């Protein structure tokens, strides 16, 4: 912590059945950040995770609501610090990168992202569907928010006090990292990506990720947050598709009427008019919700400024 030796740092380690690795992870972070408080939140583990973490000097707390998102929500609510470093308890992230991440937060960044994908992730991670999922999520979010974030779903991050206290944790599971990134991009927060050396889990440590199930949840989170944060493209796009389809169908009925002088397909005409009306309603809905979303972003800026001012006092 070369930038500010007086800054308080909290290391946050959400854990579920990590007795194989948690002892080493706590020791590594104590070495990397000797003045930091190490918090291990045990999420209903059935092994000796909590016992081992306490034996290594970590502050151990329980979170009964199952899911990583629920654990992070409790951590952000309970713990006060100038800088927060969040990692997993599975020993896949290098603790020696933490001081540099802390320094970046102290320089003024809201969130520092430990970028696995620019270094060793694709060599270490032997699960092809995970790799495909990372690329799919990254491409979707960067395209929609006109961003260039390399690692959307990494669990190794550092945060400022203001970010932690103003970020609404809505996700319950592993999709929380994706939610964090979308929240930051939507609110134009100061992000910094730092390449880290990712390593796969050691032998005997079992991943809790469900490739298909958690992948569906992540995509569902992206869908939900695009609907909330980008309502005009979302509802306006659907409205344009329906409107164009309705106009095309109206055109075919009009051509028939021009040639025969009769409207022979009343059901088609009625359906086409309803599609046009639905398209217009969706577009108007998108405009109204877009104004509300902009007002929410303004309110978030005011709230963030208030928290920052209170922290300085």
């Amino acid at each position: 912590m070369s930038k500010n030796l007086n800054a308080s740092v909290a290391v946050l380690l959400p854990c579920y059945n990590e007795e194989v690795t948690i002892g080493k992870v706590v020791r590594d972070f104590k070495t990397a950040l000797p003045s930091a408080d190490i918090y291990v939140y045990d999420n209903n583990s059935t092994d000796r995770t909590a016992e081992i973490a306490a034996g290594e000097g970590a502050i151990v707390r329980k979170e009964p609501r199952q899911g990583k998102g629920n654990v992070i929500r409790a951590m952000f609510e309970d713990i006060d610090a100038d800088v927060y470093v969040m990692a997993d308890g599975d020993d896949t992230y290098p603790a020696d990168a933490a001081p540099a991440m802390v320094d970046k937060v102290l320089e003024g960044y809201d969130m520092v992202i430990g970028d696995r994908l620019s270094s060793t992730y694709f060599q270490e991670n032997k699960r092809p569907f995970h790799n495909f999922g990372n690329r799919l999520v990254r491409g979707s979010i960067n395209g929609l928010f006109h961003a260039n974030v390399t690692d959307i779903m990494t669990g190794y991050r550092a945060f400022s006090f203001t970010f932690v206290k103003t970020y609404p944790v809505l996700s319950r599971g592993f999709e929380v990292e994706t939610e964090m990134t979308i929240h930051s991009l939507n609110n134009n927060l100061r992000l910094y990506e730092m390449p880290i050396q990712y390593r796969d889990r050691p032998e005997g440590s079992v991943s809790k990720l469900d490739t298909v199930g958690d992948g569906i949840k992540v995509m569902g989170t992206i869908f939900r947050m695009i609907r909330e944060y980008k309502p005009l493209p979302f509802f306006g796009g659907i409205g344009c598709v329906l409107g164009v389809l309705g106009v095309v169908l109206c055109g075919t009925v009009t051509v028939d009427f021009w040639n025969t002088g009769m409207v022979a397909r009343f059901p088609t005409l009625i359906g086409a008019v309803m599609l046009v009306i639905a398209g217009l309603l969706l577009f108007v809905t998108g405009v109204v919700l877009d104004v509300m979303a902009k007002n929410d972003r303004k309110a978030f800026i005011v709230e963030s400024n208030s928290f920052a001012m209170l922290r300085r006092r």
Side-chain angles (χ1 to χ4, degrees):
M1 291 177 289
S2 58
K3 300 290 181 184
N4 191 342
L5 295 175
N6 296 321
S8 59
V9 179
V11 177
L12 313 180
L13 302 173
C15 288
Y16 173 64
N17 288 345
E18 300 289 4
E19 66 176 5
V20 174
T21 55
I22 189 59
K24 180 179 181 300
V25 172
V26 173
R27 290 193 300 271
D28 288 349
F29 274 104
K30 279 187 169 292
T31 300
L33 298 169
S35 62
D37 294 321
I38 315 293
Y39 292 87
V40 172
Y41 271 58
D42 180 28
N43 195 204
N44 301 315
S45 296
T46 56
D47 61 7
R48 297 175 58 245
T49 296
E51 178 185 343
I52 294 172
E56 294 293 342
I59 302 169
V60 178
R61 295 178 179 174
K62 303 284 187 179
E63 173 48 53
R65 296 169 296 182
Q66 197 66 41
K68 187 175 183 179
N70 289 326
V71 178
I72 292 173
R73 177 181 176 181
M75 287 176 159
F76 284 4
E77 180 181 345
D78 296 345
I79 301 168
D80 295 332
D82 293 314
V83 183
Y84 301 77
V85 177
M86 184 183 76
D88 293 336
D90 56 9
D91 195 30
T92 57
Y93 299 117
D96 55 13
M101 297 173 73
V102 169
D103 282 347
K104 285 298 178 183
V105 173
L106 294 175
E107 287 178 12
Y109 288 96
D110 297 296
M111 181 168 68
V112 179
I113 298 171
D115 172 18
R116 309 161 297 169
L117 306 187
S118 295
S119 59
T120 55
Y121 181 82
F122 294 111
Q123 291 77 38
E124 289 286 326
N125 193 317
K126 306 303 190 298
R127 291 158 288 191
F129 286 109
H130 285 196
N131 298 338
F132 170 76
N134 270 287
R135 291 189 177 100
L136 177 62
V137 170
R138 177 177 60 186
S140 301
I141 293 176
N142 283 334
L144 287 163
F145 287 89
H146 308 290
N148 191 31
V149 179
T150 303
D151 196 348
I152 303 289
M153 302 171 67
T154 179
Y156 198 16
R157 299 169 187 251
F159 312 100
S160 67
F161 172 84
T162 302
F163 179 94
V164 165
K165 297 306 180 182
T166 57
Y167 166 56
V169 183
L170 300 177
S171 299
R172 299 181 180 182
F174 285 100
E175 64 272 23
V176 66
E177 288 98 351
T178 305
E179 182 186 79
M180 283 180 182
T181 306
I182 295 175
H183 168 79
S184 302
L185 293 174
N186 178 68
N187 290 291
N188 195 30
L189 299 182
R190 291 163 292 193
L191 304 183
Y192 184 87
E193 281 198 285
M194 180 178 295
I196 59 166
Q197 297 298 309
Y198 175 87
R199 52 181 176 259
D200 208 3
R201 282 175 172 267
E203 186 176 352
S205 177
V206 179
S207 174
K208 315 307 182 301
L209 285 171
D210 176 2
T211 302
V212 177
D214 288 321
I216 292 172
K217 290 178 182 177
V218 168
M219 296 308 296
T221 298
I222 294 173
F223 181 86
R224 171 178 59 82
M225 299 193 78
I226 290 171
R227 185 188 64 202
E228 295 174 1
Y229 291 152
K230 296 286 187 179
L232 183 55
F234 182 85
F235 290 100
I238 297 174
C240 286
V241 171
L242 293 181
V244 169
L245 181 59
V247 169
V248 170
L249 291 175
C250 281
T252 62
V253 175
T254 302
V255 170
D256 290 344
F257 176 76
W258 184 269
N259 293 329
T260 65
M262 298 176 59
V263 178
R265 295 183 295 163
F266 270 106
T268 301
L269 179 61
I270 294 170
V273 172
M274 292 180 65
L275 285 173
V276 172
I277 293 173
L280 289 172
L281 288 174
L282 283 169
F283 184 80
V284 172
T285 299
V287 171
V288 173
L289 292 177
D290 188 64
V291 172
M292 295 174 65
K294 288 180 179 178
N295 287 333
D296 286 342
R297 287 193 286 272
K298 293 176 184 178
F300 174 81
I301 292 172
V302 173
E303 184 180 13
S304 297
N305 290 340
S306 299
F307 268 93
M309 182 177 66
L310 289 172
R311 188 62 178 173
R312 286 194 296 269
R313 290 180 178 178

